[in-house]
Amino acid sequence: MEVIHTIEWMKQAAREARAEGRVIGFVPTMGALHAGHISLVEAARHDTSPVIVSIFVNPKQFGPQEDFANYPRSIEDDRAKLESAGVDFLLVPSVEEMYPTGFRTSVNVEGLGDRFEGRARPGHFRGVATVVLKLLEIVSPRFAYFGRKDVQQLRIIRQMADDLALDVEIVSCPIVREPDGVAMSSRNAYLSAAERKAATALYRALDAARQAISAGEQDAFRLSETMRRVLASEPLASTDYAEIVDADSFESVTRLRGTCLAILAARVGSTRLIDNMLIEASPETVPADRNSYRCSL
Ligand code: AMP
């Protein structure tokens, strides 16, 4: 695995791969890698070669009160994990390399970024879209892999890629969970033992919604109530939102229809965690009636 620190060097390596007719796969990350990240690498390895991973803790997507300075960084461990996962190139640019003095451009995907994570974290998605577009320009992959763990981010990146006619396919990968259901996240490292236990409330809330759906519940308000009840029963967790939204528009729905998402965010201690569940109409039951929705955690 070749470790690359500069944009020019990365562009050159990518140009050479393309000139050989190879299909580049790209996995952007902020490091502190876990099995969720590695699952994206595996998906990329399955489809493409070379596989390029970036590690860049992007200051533009952190608010002034957020954890940019303290975000977990473990570059040596990460390097070893990526090497054994069969990654070809690791791009690790500095902040100065990505945002030299005088940098002025930002990318804003209108509308989709105003709600939920966008409201809780003003400027966050603008920072994400800006860095992802820049990384896609540097790496010029045919396929780029993102986790459904950050489902609103994924939706926004897809929108950006469509709107700007980017020559890349955005691939969505399933959420990788710990054995107790907690979605893997670099921020889980902040949790104390008691908080880590309490973090299962997010999964339990989604699972309760799943059970209600499989028993025939399709009323979105009652499903949200079910999720909020589970979260409220955990003393160390405080709910930010727990909603059923349309998977395309991220607007709240009153009843399940088409493809929806159960999305939630909660603070556990001082750590903000997010999770979600995909709710899809089963193709075999048309018109929609009891038990006609399939849930993917
Ligand atoms: P991050 O390093 O947190 O910016 O995440 C980099 C990529 O890994 C994003 O596309 C995330 O959605 C994805 N990711 C993070 N956690 C998970 C997980 N538990 N399962 C699947 N993908 C994940």
Side-chain angles (χ1 to χ4, degrees), residues 112 115-116 151-152 155 220-221 223-224 227 241-264 276-280:
L112 288 168
R115 292 179 282 272
F116 305 112
V151 71
Q152 197 177 0
R155 176 69 190 87
F221 182 76
L223 290 168
S224 306
M227 295 195 289
Y241 58 78
E243 297 262 349
I244 309 291
V245 298
D246 179 85
D248 190 53
S249 66
F250 272 77
E251 309 249 6
S252 297
V253 296
T254 53
R255 277 187 79 73
L256 297 184
R257 59 174 160 80
T259 304
C260 292
L261 291 161
I263 55 172
L264 42 83
N276 71 84
M277 172 171 80
L278 185 62
I279 307 167
E280 295 169 292

Side-chain angles (χ1 to χ4, degrees), residues 36 83 112 122 146 149 195 215 222 258 265 287 296:
E83 179 105 57
L112 288 168
F146 294 86
K149 161 78 177 22
E195 289 167 350
R222 283 202 290 268
S296 311

Side-chain angles (χ1 to χ4, degrees), residues 20 39 43 58 63 65 75 98 101 111 123 132 157 165-167 176-177 186 202 219 223 270 282:
E20 290 165 11
S39 75
N58 174 31
Q65 311 302 327
I75 188 69
M98 288 296 280
T101 307
V132 170
I157 288 166
L166 301 185
D167 206 5
V176 177
R177 298 178 178 282
S186 308
L202 281 82
D219 181 280
L223 290 168
S270 56
S282 303

Side-chain angles (χ1 to χ4, degrees), residues 28-30 34 36-37 40 71 146-147 149-150 174-176 184:
T29 81
M30 298 205 301
H34 49 65
H37 297 112
L40 307 188
Y71 193 83
F146 294 86
K149 161 78 177 22
D150 301 283
I175 302 175
V176 177
M184 290 193 180

Side-chain angles (χ1 to χ4, degrees), residues 61-70 120-122 124 187 272:
Q61 71 188 68
F62 288 78
Q65 311 302 327
E66 291 185 356
D67 54 343
F68 174 69
N70 299 323
R121 308 180 65 189
H124 170 67
R187 289 193 168 95
R272 195 163 173 286

Side-chain angles (χ1 to χ4, degrees), residues 2-293:
E2 189 175 340
V3 181
I4 295 184
H5 294 280
T6 68
I7 291 172
E8 270 323 305
W9 190 2
M10 186 70 259
K11 280 188 166 179
Q12 182 56 30
R15 259 195 301 269
E16 281 167 19
R18 275 197 315 281
E20 290 165 11
R22 299 173 72 194
V23 176
I24 298 174
F26 178 47
V27 180
T29 81
M30 298 205 301
L33 301 179
H34 49 65
H37 297 112
I38 301 303
S39 75
L40 307 188
V41 170
E42 281 163 3
R45 284 246 299 162
H46 180 266
D47 304 337
T48 65
S49 167
V51 170
I52 303 177
V53 174
S54 64
I55 294 180
F56 180 61
V57 184
N58 174 31
K60 288 193 188 294
Q61 71 188 68
F62 288 78
Q65 311 302 327
E66 291 185 356
D67 54 343
F68 174 69
N70 299 323
Y71 193 83
R73 288 165 171 86
S74 54
I75 188 69
E76 274 319 306
D77 271 11
D78 291 350
R79 208 189 53 71
K81 283 179 187 163
L82 295 173
E83 179 105 57
S84 52
V87 169
D88 300 284
F89 297 97
L90 168 59
L91 172 64
V92 194
S94 65
V95 172
E96 297 70 34
E97 180 74 5
M98 288 296 280
Y99 302 125
T101 307
F103 186 96
R104 283 175 176 278
T105 302
S106 70
V107 181
N108 189 38
V109 178
E110 307 278 348
L112 288 168
D114 301 345
R115 292 179 282 272
F116 305 112
E117 286 311 282
R119 182 151 65 182
R121 308 180 65 189
H124 170 67
F125 286 127
R126 183 188 294 259
V128 169
T130 303
V131 81
V132 170
L133 181 58
K134 182 157 187 170
L135 289 167
L136 291 173
E137 277 299 302
I138 295 165
V139 173
S140 58
R142 185 69 202 82
F143 297 88
Y145 298 81
F146 294 86
R148 181 168 57 77
K149 161 78 177 22
D150 301 283
V151 71
Q152 197 177 0
Q153 164 178 292
L154 175 62
R155 176 69 190 87
I156 285 170
I157 288 166
R158 255 191 217 292
Q159 186 73 39
M160 173 179 79
D162 284 354
D163 287 350
L164 302 181
L166 301 185
D167 206 5
V168 62
E169 197 162 314
I170 305 299
V171 182
S172 165
C173 298
I175 302 175
V176 177
R177 298 178 178 282
E178 303 280 1
D180 64 1
V182 171
M184 290 193 180
S185 164
S186 308
R187 289 193 168 95
N188 291 349
Y190 298 146
L191 302 170
S192 70
E195 289 167 350
R196 175 61 188 74
K197 219 166 161 185
T200 58
L202 281 82
Y203 174 78
R204 287 186 278 115
L206 293 172
D207 194 46
R210 172 170 65 176
Q211 285 176 33
I213 290 167
S214 73
E217 184 60 82
Q218 297 191 0
D219 181 280
F221 182 76
R222 283 202 290 268
L223 290 168
S224 306
E225 277 299 304
T226 299
M227 295 195 289
R228 290 202 189 100
R229 226 178 6 254
V230 176
L231 288 168
S233 70
E234 174 49 65
L236 293 181
S238 72
T239 309
D240 183 352
Y241 58 78
E243 297 262 349
I244 309 291
V245 298
D246 179 85
D248 190 53
S249 66
F250 272 77
E251 309 249 6
S252 297
V253 296
T254 53
R255 277 187 79 73
L256 297 184
R257 59 174 160 80
T259 304
C260 292
L261 291 161
I263 55 172
L264 42 83
R267 209 166 272 283
V268 178
S270 56
T271 306
R272 195 163 173 286
L273 300 175
I274 58 172
D275 203 343
N276 71 84
M277 172 171 80
L278 185 62
I279 307 167
E280 295 169 292
S282 303
E284 61 271 19
T285 49
V286 180
D289 64 355
R290 265 176 77 88
N291 302 331
S292 65
Y293 284 88

